[in-house]
Amino acid sequence: MKNMRLHAALCRLYPHAPEGAWELACGPQTDWDVAIAAWRLEEAPPTQEALDTMYAALAEEDAAPRPPEPEPLDLNTITYAQADAIIRAESVEDLRLAMLDVLGL
C-alpha cells in the first residue's frame, strides 16, 4: 500500500517523468520502509515535506464523497426487443442507444 501511495505521489509531483524514472524499494536495506532506491531524473528527488503534502492531497481525494452507485439492473426486465437491439447493434452509437433504452433514459 505504501509503495502505491509513494508511486502515486511521485507521479503527481513529476507528471512528465518517463517510465522508469525512479525505482522504489522496501526491505531490510530500508528498515522495511518504502524508499526511493534509484532516481533517474535531472530534477532533485522530492523532499519529505513535498511528499507529505501530496499524501494529504491524495487522502482528501480518496475521502471525497462519491456519487451513489446506480441500482443494479434486473436482467429479467429486459424485453426481447431490447435484447435484440443490443445484440444486433452495428455501431457504438446503436449500442449506446439500445442500452439507454434498457436503462429507461
Side-chain angles (χ1 to χ4, degrees), residues 12 55-69:
R12 288 282 185 93
Y55 292 153
L58 290 169
E60 271 184 38
E61 287 177 16
D62 287 344
R66 294 193 169 110
E69 291 289 323

Side-chain angles (χ1 to χ4, degrees), residues 8-93:
L10 290 171
C11 287
R12 288 282 185 93
L13 289 168
Y14 303 94
H16 302 296
E19 185 150 342
W22 55 77
E23 286 181 31
L24 305 180
C26 179
Q29 70 276 15
T30 64
D31 289 330
W32 300 103
D33 199 13
V34 177
I36 299 171
W39 189 258
R40 296 181 187 93
L41 292 176
E42 290 181 16
E43 301 173 58
T47 63
Q48 189 60 49
E49 183 179 332
L51 287 172
D52 290 342
T53 301
M54 191 53 62
Y55 292 153
L58 290 169
E60 271 184 38
E61 287 177 16
D62 287 344
R66 294 193 169 110
E69 291 289 323
E71 291 294 319
L73 179 62
D74 181 3
L75 296 178
N76 293 321
T77 62
I78 298 176
T79 66
Y80 286 108
Q82 291 170 325
D84 190 57
I86 292 170
I87 292 167
R88 297 184 189 282
E90 294 183 3
S91 68
V92 173
E93 183 63 17

